[in-house]
Amino acid sequence: MKIAIAGTGYVGLSMAVLLAQHHTVVALDILPEKVDMLNRKVSPIEDAEIEEYLKTKQLDFKATLDKNEAYQGADYVIIATPTDYDTETNYFNTRSVEAVIKDVMTVAPNAVMIIKSTIPVGFTAKARVQYQCDNLIFSPEFLREGKALHDNLYPSRIVVGETSKRAQTFANLLAEGALKTDIPVLLTNSSEAEAIKLFSNTYLAMRVAYFNELDTYAATHGLDTKQIINGVALDPRIGGHYNNPSFGYGGYCLPKDTKQLLANYSDVPQNLINAIVESNTTRKDYIAASILKRKPKVVGIYRLIMKSGSDNFRASSIQGIMKRIKAKGVEVIIYEPVLNEPDFFNSKVYTDLNEFKFKADVIVSNRMAKELTDVVDKVYTRDLFGSD
């Protein structure tokens, strides 16, 4: 088959690499530098498996700036363009998805479009009516930053939002490229698939918020957070995973997905979903106040990225901490190797780690790093287990 991919972020690119093992894949992007890198088999994002597969695997893959080259003759078009949450409309900005739909209907009207971008519940059904297009299917992704291809090779499940032969065919394509066998496959209605994505990520956000509030309580009362979590986690219904305190949930998905789900509850009684969203703000307030209690003159932010093995710092929780500290008039400096600019939101960026360590009175790190062990007395972190 020929499969086109619209968007080469971590969702689109991991899909492209997965499917190019067995099929012809053409990825479309609007940035010439990304297209050039991909055609030289260089990953524009940090993801160990994507980098490895581009370099070592036989992939039938190319990238292009030309939508006609990408879409013409495609059996499937996977839409993986960004859909940021718009706080003014309380709705995902779906303009990029809709633009692809219009282009594909013009260039390749028989292609089946698979929406991988996160969208509001009910979007696919409405779009089918609005564009008079039956070739729209939503299929949620459940990928971690820095491990996107890994999570496609070893998926927890495959969900496709249509109960049809073509939906099963697409599910089979994903399973064909995976290394894991016996993958659970669920074919659902479109709105149910959209809800699965939002409720899954909101549950993860709830778990992050729960252990963060546990940590806030323990720290406030002088208790040992680690002992409490270890005891709680021994209950098999709770488990010892995804329980490491942090500065709050952030990244590509959790902040926007929780807010979108909350907006979808506008006419539905609820308390919990709102609390999950508000809890993240409360946690950042607490973390910033704890740092300021040390009365630093200069606060150093060690890495803006959310997770190890990732180069993404979009909506990272530590940025919220930065804003709160700067609002109190304290100087903030940053150590972030993936940044090429000399400053970030008017905070100086250091590329020399030793100079950064010397300059900062307190070093704020969401996760403890080996290269900070020589200045551990300066480090502020809530990391207990050394995991994301």
Side-chain angles (χ1 to χ4, degrees), residues 258-278:
T258 51
K259 290 174 183 175
Q260 179 61 69
L261 185 60
L262 179 60
N264 284 143
Y265 265 90
S266 60
D267 58 350
V268 180
Q270 63 80 30
N271 297 105
L272 180 60
I273 310 302
N274 188 65
I276 293 167
V277 174
E278 290 187 354

Side-chain angles (χ1 to χ4, degrees), residues 256-308:
K256 66 176 185 177
D257 289 6
T258 51
K259 290 174 183 175
Q260 179 61 69
L261 185 60
L262 179 60
N264 284 143
Y265 265 90
S266 60
D267 58 350
V268 180
Q270 63 80 30
N271 297 105
L272 180 60
I273 310 302
N274 188 65
I276 293 167
V277 174
E278 290 187 354
S279 175
N280 214 38
T281 299
T282 301
R283 177 64 169 180
K284 292 174 188 175
D285 290 343
Y286 170 78
I287 294 296
S290 299
I291 294 165
L292 291 169
K293 280 182 180 178
R294 298 191 177 190
K295 302 190 181 303
K297 292 182 179 179
V298 179
V299 171
I301 303 297
Y302 174 81
R303 308 303 306 267
L304 296 170
I305 59 170
M306 281 298 301
K307 295 182 177 182
S308 58

Side-chain angles (χ1 to χ4, degrees), residues 299-304 322 332-336 339 343-345 347-351 356:
V299 171
I301 303 297
Y302 174 81
R303 308 303 306 267
L304 296 170
M322 282 177 56
V332 173
I333 62 174
I334 299 166
Y335 174 73
E336 180 50 78
L339 269 181
D343 58 73
F344 181 80
F345 287 101
S347 289
K348 184 176 180 180
V349 175
Y350 285 76
T351 55
F356 167 81

Side-chain angles (χ1 to χ4, degrees), residues 214 218-219 222-229 384:
L214 184 160
L223 305 178
D224 188 320
T225 300
K226 191 171 186 178
Q227 288 185 16
I228 299 171
I229 291 177
L384 298 179

Side-chain angles (χ1 to χ4, degrees), residues 19-304:
L19 295 167
Q21 296 176 95
H22 302 286
H23 301 276
T24 299
V25 174
V26 182
L28 176 70
D29 205 279
I30 59 174
L31 298 176
E33 58 271 25
K34 288 183 75 175
V35 169
D36 178 62
M37 289 178 71
L38 288 170
N39 286 330
R40 289 187 285 111
K41 299 185 177 182
V42 176
S43 175
I45 61 175
E46 188 172 332
D47 184 296
E49 278 84 359
I50 289 177
E51 293 167 10
E52 176 193 349
Y53 271 58
L54 285 175
K55 289 178 182 176
T56 64
K57 301 292 184 181
Q58 287 292 110
L59 303 177
D60 188 355
F61 170 76
K62 70 173 295 186
T64 183
L65 296 165
D66 184 348
K67 62 187 176 185
N68 291 306
E69 181 182 8
Y71 300 149
Q72 281 177 354
D75 298 287
Y76 286 93
V77 176
I78 297 174
I79 303 175
T81 56
T83 51
D84 291 328
Y85 184 77
D86 189 327
T87 54
E88 292 186 6
T89 63
N90 288 328
Y91 201 77
F92 281 131
N93 183 340
T94 57
R95 285 195 295 267
S96 66
V97 173
E98 295 173 66
V100 175
I101 292 171
K102 293 174 187 175
D103 287 341
V104 174
M105 288 179 66
T106 300
V107 177
N110 295 321
V112 177
M113 287 174 269
I114 306 290
I115 302 173
K116 280 286 178 181
S117 306
T118 306
I119 51 180
V121 176
F123 174 86
T124 305
K126 290 178 183 176
R128 284 177 174 174
V129 174
Q130 179 180 347
Y131 296 106
Q132 297 184 332
C133 177
D134 189 48
N135 287 342
L136 283 175
I137 300 175
F138 176 71
S139 175
E141 51 83 14
F142 308 101
L143 309 177
R144 294 170 294 171
E145 296 165 23
K147 294 184 178 294
L149 181 53
H150 179 277
D151 290 344
N152 270 319
L153 294 171
Y154 301 93
S156 58
R157 72 279 209 199
I158 293 171
V159 178
V160 185
E162 188 175 272
T163 54
S164 64
K165 182 179 178 180
R166 63 186 186 178
Q168 185 64 57
T169 298
F170 181 71
N172 293 343
L173 290 175
L174 300 183
E176 178 186 36
L179 295 177
K180 181 180 176 180
T181 57
D182 299 322
I183 304 163
V185 174
L186 184 63
L187 304 184
T188 72
N189 300 326
S190 63
S191 294
E192 281 76 359
E194 293 158 352
I196 287 168
K197 174 61 187 293
L198 294 184
F199 276 101
S200 294
N201 276 348
T202 301
Y203 180 87
L204 294 176
M206 179 184 70
R207 190 170 172 106
V208 172
Y210 174 84
F211 284 105
N212 280 344
E213 291 207 0
L214 184 160
D215 177 56
T216 298
Y217 177 87
T220 300
H221 291 278
L223 305 178
D224 188 320
T225 300
K226 191 171 186 178
Q227 288 185 16
I228 299 171
I229 291 177
N230 283 337
V232 169
L234 286 173
D235 187 324
R237 295 170 298 178
I238 299 171
H241 60 282
Y242 217 59
N243 60 3
N244 195 15
S246 67
F247 296 158
Y249 59 79
Y252 283 109
C253 294
L254 300 193
K256 66 176 185 177
D257 289 6
T258 51
K259 290 174 183 175
Q260 179 61 69
L261 185 60
L262 179 60
N264 284 143
Y265 265 90
S266 60
D267 58 350
V268 180
Q270 63 80 30
N271 297 105
L272 180 60
I273 310 302
N274 188 65
I276 293 167
V277 174
E278 290 187 354
S279 175
N280 214 38
T281 299
T282 301
R283 177 64 169 180
K284 292 174 188 175
D285 290 343
Y286 170 78
I287 294 296
S290 299
I291 294 165
L292 291 169
K293 280 182 180 178
R294 298 191 177 190
K295 302 190 181 303
K297 292 182 179 179
V298 179
V299 171
I301 303 297
Y302 174 81
R303 308 303 306 267
L304 296 170

